Amino acid sequence: MISPSGCGVFGILRKPHAPKIPGDKVVTAIDAVSYRGSDKGAGFAVFNKEEGNYYYLKAFFLDDPSKMKRVMEDQGLQVLEEQVEVEDSGVCSCNYKVSIGNIAQLRKAVRNLNEMLWPDRRGRIYSMGRSLNVFKGVGYPKDIAKIYDVSKYSGDMWLAHTRQPTNSPGSYPYWSHPFSSFDVAIVHNGDVSSFGANLEFLQSRGWGGFVGTDSEVMAFLFEELISEGLTVEEVSKILVNPSRRTSAISPHHDYLYRNARLDGPFTAIIGYDSGEDLYIVGLADRSKFRPVLIGEDEYYYYIASEESQIRLMSREAKVWTLNPGSYFIASLKKGVISYGRDIEEIRSFSAYPSFTSSDYDIDASRVGYKDLNREILKTGKKEVKVINVMGHRYVGLTFPRAGMKVRLYGVVGNAMANLNENNEFYVYGNVADDCCDTMHGGKVVITGDARDVLAQTLQGGKVFVGGNAGNRVGIQMREYANKRPYLVIGGRVDDYLGEYMAGGVIVVLGLRVKGEKTGNFVGTGMVGGKIFVRGKVEPEKIGIQPNRLEVARLLKALKMEGYIDDIEPTSYVDVMNRLKGEAKKYARRLFEEKVGIPTYEYRELNEEEAKELKEILREYDADLGTNATELLGEKFTVISPSRG
Amino acid sequence: MVHKTKIGSYFVPEDLDEMEDLANEGEVPGFILDEDLLGEDIELVISEADLRLKEAGVRNRYDLLAKSSKLRDSADVFKLVALGADSVIMPFTILEVAIGEGSKGNLKERTFNLIAGMRKEIALLAGSAGIYSIQSSLTGNRELLRAINLNSYLARKIRVRQAGSL
């Protein structure tokens, strides 16, 4: 069965006191998610800091390898050693050790070579760096690891990738990840829709000879911006392209580096050797359309597509997700430079799960990622306990309509309890993306965290989360006939909570967090149902609102036309509360879609609401051992559809 | 050099050589390229101006504004931005059309509708192109455009590939 998916990525950096990372561990961590990719490309990049005055170049070449050296020398490169590493399906991979005479000259020579070789597909220099070594080709990660014997290497930092090609072919190794530029390597999951604009930016600065994969521009942009003298953090901030309403980029950089920023869905990991230090960078696009997990333990920093990749290497690592539109940066010598999230928020993520329990029915450690359903049904029992769950997907998809009760220990993979009708799931640990999609009834209880797109089109039953939930939680929830779904989150959530919601109830309790309990764009486009968040949510986080500058401009125009007197331009929701009549209508027509921006109230619950929630929270408390019912007397932010 | 035409602080060059000279001198915030003045299709003019400034390595220091009496709707704006314009000046004609000849309705109302409508249309076009940020991701992003019934000489000139290309 072919199951289309995104790509899978992995990155790891050691801390100064930690031993080097052996290649076979990295192979295991990327192989664990090889179902995210295909046989159309995979690769590894290893950085090994050493004091040497040499550069290592690696080239794919379709011609006689001995000719390549001559071509390189014609460009003024001093080749000290050459070696044919691998020959595979007519393409050879050759290694060259060159002396660093003049670094600018070296860069120019490599660019010239690629511009010369690429147009008629004769070859490609694909890895260049003092400490960097890229291994890539056509196949699954395991195949590439075998061809290059990756497990014999160890390093200070690794990147790995398994590829699901979307916008360039997968028939030659040129298009596989990692992509490399001078001392830079990147792996990427997603699509870069700003690709054309980025190419123009690079071309205007003298770059050429692109292989035509969107991901490739990231490596070049990173190198170009670093060589402008920007810091790794400044470059990351520009690349990740945060929304202007956050004012994260200075107006000067914003203007100067337009066309150098990334747009579209992406999770990228960048490795960089500055000469003094090694950096690992994880980027998440501003809607976080691709999964990314960050992990840290005593010895290493991890960046991964799925939690199971990190847990395979370190069961007790602290794991959190990137905020949409943010970046994680750590270096070998400086430690963490940016966490990609507020420190308070990181503390609120659940502790590592216990993978075991006594008297279990199934040990999932030897069960394939999509075979767990079969094993559970094979027991013939109605109540089944499974331990060592590690990224297993689609749990519950083939269960009978009702009567099953499963207890899962560990980290459950994507798409658990999808289309569930009346079964019950208890997870002692965390659950990956897309849990409880289109569930009609039954119950799901998660003691730890849930990730993105939890409870999409939930339309019956209850979903209780003890910890945090991710991005786009409870979107398109609905109710019909006598079905009314309930989603209760104990911790906090990220952006787009209850987007396009049409029915049911979402409660965010924020039990473990002091700070903000939701991200931005709460209830965008909602037409039914209700969202309750304990405590105050800033009004600017509701729906998609115009920024203050736009609001100020409209107010100025309204005043000029005599509709209003002076109104201080604050948040859009505040301003709307003060506008009346024609002025309000103009604002709505200019800034709102048909369904409008949701209604926002910060108040105590009314009798009817308190009664309904009390019943639900009593059950939540019983399942998760909390005292949420006692909090019902507090003030809540209540978000409901626009009243028009 | 004496600058003859000036709107606000932007300059209105009479041909692209003049624009490039001024750009190399560096004292100008940007240029308004007027199809009616330059006598060539605005798409070709804008694309060439964008590429020439890029060639000179100074593109991101300047604003390029496209102006023409032939422009009609938000798709024109979107297309010109993708071909390299930072901003597009719409002709007075569209306002006249929107207000409508002999219309009895509220003129202010109709103007407002025109602006609000174009704003939403551009947001829709950006959404279907998969981008958030018009200024950063659309400006000069010819990769998002494809040519239909455009002769190959022109398509090459504005660097837009034929429909169906990957």
Side-chain angles (χ1 to χ4, degrees), chain A residues 449-475:
Chain A
D449 301 331
R451 308 294 178 206
D452 298 344
V453 210
L454 167 73
Q456 174 174 15
T457 59
L458 177 69
Q459 43 205 287
K462 297 168 199 122
V463 177
F464 295 160
V465 181
N468 295 342
N471 218 23
R472 297 189 303 287
V473 168
I475 62 176

Side-chain angles (χ1 to χ4, degrees), chain A residues 580-600:
Chain A
K580 288 184 188 67
E582 282 297 304
K584 193 167 188 166
K585 272 192 207 157
Y586 274 125
R588 185 165 289 146
R589 265 166 49 196
L590 188 60
F591 293 130
E592 296 187 27
E593 296 300 319
K594 215 170 183 178
V595 292
I597 288 168
T599 310
Y600 168 93

Side-chain angles (χ1 to χ4, degrees), chain A residues 149-268:
Chain A
D149 201 4
V150 168
S151 55
K152 79 175 180 212
Y153 296 89
S154 62
D156 301 315
M157 173 162 71
W158 285 84
L159 309 182
H161 188 260
T162 176
R163 179 162 190 243
Q164 183 84 49
T166 49
N167 53 29
S168 59
S171 44
Y172 274 118
Y174 312 111
W175 294 292
S176 297
H177 298 224
F179 285 99
S180 157
S181 192
F182 272 85
D183 300 309
V184 178
I186 73 115
V187 289
H188 164 223
N189 170 19
D191 294 280
V192 180
S193 49
S194 60
F195 170 60
N198 302 144
L199 272 192
E200 296 271 341
F201 175 84
L202 290 165
Q203 280 167 343
S204 78
R205 284 159 175 256
W207 291 77
F210 303 98
V211 298
T213 296
D214 53 353
S215 322
E216 162 193 52
V217 295
M218 291 185 182
F220 298 153
L221 285 174
F222 191 88
E223 192 205 324
E224 181 65 28
L225 295 177
I226 284 282
S227 65
E228 292 264 299
L230 301 178
T231 64
V232 173
E233 177 150 21
E234 283 168 330
V235 174
S236 308
K237 205 178 278 180
I238 290 168
L239 286 182
V240 87
N241 196 6
S243 165
R244 281 218 179 114
R245 69 183 74 203
T246 64
S247 310
I249 304 181
S250 72
H252 174 65
H253 277 179
D254 188 347
Y255 186 74
L256 199 59
Y257 300 119
R258 58 195 203 273
N259 282 15
R261 309 208 289 273
L262 301 173
D263 210 331
F266 56 85
T267 286

Side-chain angles (χ1 to χ4, degrees), chain A residues 78-203:
Chain A
Q78 247 193 309
V79 179
L80 302 172
E81 283 170 29
E82 67 167 321
Q83 175 214 348
V84 177
E85 190 177 26
V86 165
E87 277 198 81
D88 189 34
S89 46
V91 183
C92 78
S93 168
C94 311
N95 296 359
Y96 301 90
K97 184 173 168 184
V98 296
S99 71
I100 307 178
N102 174 342
I103 180 88
Q105 204 184 354
L106 181 62
R107 275 168 204 252
K108 213 174 145 207
V110 170
R111 279 193 204 178
N112 282 347
L113 274 170
N114 272 342
E115 271 173 59
M116 204 169 71
L117 294 170
W118 183 248
D120 40 358
R121 306 285 188 274
R122 280 162 64 207
R124 181 86 187 161
I125 297 179
Y126 68 93
S127 170
M128 49 212 104
R130 281 162 290 202
S131 62
L132 168 65
N133 197 352
V134 173
F135 313 98
K136 65 181 189 178
V138 180
Y140 278 107
K142 266 199 164 157
D143 307 329
I144 305 308
K146 204 169 152 195
I147 294 175
Y148 288 95
D149 201 4
V150 168
S151 55
K152 79 175 180 212
Y153 296 89
S154 62
D156 301 315
M157 173 162 71
W158 285 84
L159 309 182
H161 188 260
T162 176
R163 179 162 190 243
Q164 183 84 49
T166 49
N167 53 29
S168 59
S171 44
Y172 274 118
Y174 312 111
W175 294 292
S176 297
H177 298 224
F179 285 99
S180 157
S181 192
F182 272 85
D183 300 309
V184 178
I186 73 115
V187 289
H188 164 223
N189 170 19
D191 294 280
V192 180
S193 49
S194 60
F195 170 60
N198 302 144
L199 272 192
E200 296 271 341
F201 175 84
L202 290 165
Q203 280 167 343

Side-chain angles (χ1 to χ4, degrees), chain A residues 372-624:
Chain A
L372 197 51
N373 287 327
R374 199 181 56 212
E375 295 297 317
I376 290 170
L377 293 176
K378 220 158 69 179
T379 61
K381 292 183 173 176
K382 288 287 173 205
E383 279 199 51
V384 183
K385 202 190 250 190
V386 187
I387 62 162
N388 289 326
V389 181
M390 193 65 103
H392 293 81
R393 287 187 165 193
Y394 317 119
V395 179
L397 202 57
T398 57
F399 287 3
R401 288 173 67 117
M404 295 289 295
K405 192 186 225 179
V406 289
R407 296 178 189 278
L408 304 155
Y409 290 78
V411 290
V412 183
N414 284 3
M416 185 190 89
N418 282 8
L419 304 162
N420 178 33
E421 298 223 35
N422 270 307
N423 298 310
E424 292 187 11
F425 298 74
Y426 292 84
V427 177
Y428 303 89
N430 305 327
V431 180
D433 298 345
D434 202 27
C435 173
C436 316
D437 194 327
T438 321
M439 188 167 117
H440 290 253
K443 186 156 99 173
V444 170
V445 178
I446 300 160
T447 62
D449 301 331
R451 308 294 178 206
D452 298 344
V453 210
L454 167 73
Q456 174 174 15
T457 59
L458 177 69
Q459 43 205 287
K462 297 168 199 122
V463 177
F464 295 160
V465 181
N468 295 342
N471 218 23
R472 297 189 303 287
V473 168
I475 62 176
Q476 298 169 304
M477 260 173 71
R478 57 186 72 163
E479 56 188 57
Y480 66 96
N482 60 346
K483 301 258 191 192
R484 186 165 165 86
Y486 292 92
L487 169 61
V488 185
I489 316 284
R492 71 180 303 284
V493 295
D494 288 337
D495 295 355
Y496 296 105
L497 173 71
E499 189 186 25
Y500 305 125
M501 186 174 175
V505 176
I506 299 178
V507 185
V508 179
L509 294 167
L511 299 175
R512 306 183 192 171
V513 253
K514 288 192 202 107
E516 305 276 351
K517 294 176 179 62
T518 71
N520 292 315
F521 318 122
V522 180
T524 303
M526 78 187 281
V527 293
K530 243 178 202 178
I531 303 174
F532 299 92
V533 183
R534 188 170 68 95
K536 189 170 177 175
V537 175
E538 288 304 318
E540 274 175 324
K541 293 187 162 196
I542 312 300
I544 291 187
Q545 301 174 28
N547 64 37
R548 287 187 184 215
L549 182 68
E550 288 178 289
V551 174
R553 280 181 185 154
L554 178 74
L555 290 176
K556 195 173 152 196
L558 290 172
K559 196 186 161 195
M560 271 166 65
E561 291 296 322
Y563 286 107
I564 54 169
D565 296 326
D566 262 322
I567 289 185
E568 200 201 332
T570 52
S571 82
Y572 180 70
V573 166
D574 277 349
V575 167
M576 284 303 269
N577 282 337
R578 275 179 282 161
L579 289 181
K580 288 184 188 67
E582 282 297 304
K584 193 167 188 166
K585 272 192 207 157
Y586 274 125
R588 185 165 289 146
R589 265 166 49 196
L590 188 60
F591 293 130
E592 296 187 27
E593 296 300 319
K594 215 170 183 178
V595 292
I597 288 168
T599 310
Y600 168 93
E601 297 162 290
Y602 177 54
R603 58 171 170 81
E604 280 166 13
L605 302 179
N606 64 36
E607 209 174 304
E608 196 187 332
E609 289 164 345
K611 195 179 153 213
E612 185 183 10
L613 291 191
K614 196 168 186 177
E615 201 183 313
I616 295 298
L617 290 188
R618 210 176 265 155
E619 191 176 335
Y620 181 90
D621 285 343
D623 282 327
L624 286 155

Side-chain angles (χ1 to χ4, degrees), chain B residues 7-164:
Chain B
I7 298 180
S9 53
Y10 289 124
F11 283 87
V12 188
E14 279 177 11
D15 56 47
L16 294 184
D17 291 335
E18 190 187 5
M19 176 201 75
E20 212 176 323
D21 286 343
L22 288 172
N24 286 328
E25 283 169 28
E27 296 298 315
V28 194
F31 303 96
I32 297 174
L33 299 175
D34 188 344
E35 178 172 16
D36 306 319
L37 190 69
L38 295 160
E40 203 181 346
D41 291 334
I42 189 67
E43 287 84 357
L44 297 177
V45 173
I46 275 295
S47 178
E48 195 185 336
D50 176 58
L51 294 174
R52 277 170 76 161
L53 291 179
K54 278 176 178 160
E55 190 90 348
V58 295
R59 175 64 184 89
N60 274 12
R61 292 192 217 148
Y62 298 102
D63 292 337
L64 273 186
L65 285 75
K67 180 173 180 290
S68 166
S69 58
K70 292 182 191 159
L71 302 178
R72 288 295 176 270
D73 55 32
S74 11
D76 289 333
V77 176
F78 200 80
K79 188 168 69 179
L80 283 167
V81 172
L83 285 170
D86 288 295
S87 193
V88 179
I89 300 170
M90 298 305 280
F92 186 67
T93 324
I94 62 162
L95 196 59
E96 286 179 324
V97 173
I99 291 167
E101 220 176 301
S103 153
K104 290 185 194 116
N106 182 343
L107 300 190
K108 201 172 13 179
E109 187 81 359
R110 283 164 184 261
T111 315
F112 184 88
N113 283 346
L114 176 70
I115 305 288
M118 288 188 76
R119 193 177 177 278
K120 285 182 184 174
E121 275 179 3
I122 290 174
L124 277 176
L125 286 165
S128 41
I131 54 175
Y132 288 104
S133 157
I134 298 275
Q135 194 198 33
S136 178
S137 313
L138 181 63
T139 317
N141 192 341
R142 294 166 176 82
E143 188 60 36
L144 293 177
L145 300 176
R146 287 294 181 270
I148 297 174
N149 294 338
L150 187 63
N151 77 46
S152 58
Y153 167 74
L154 289 179
R156 260 203 311 279
K157 195 162 179 206
I158 58 173
R159 295 222 298 227
V160 170
R161 289 193 279 172
Q162 294 296 336

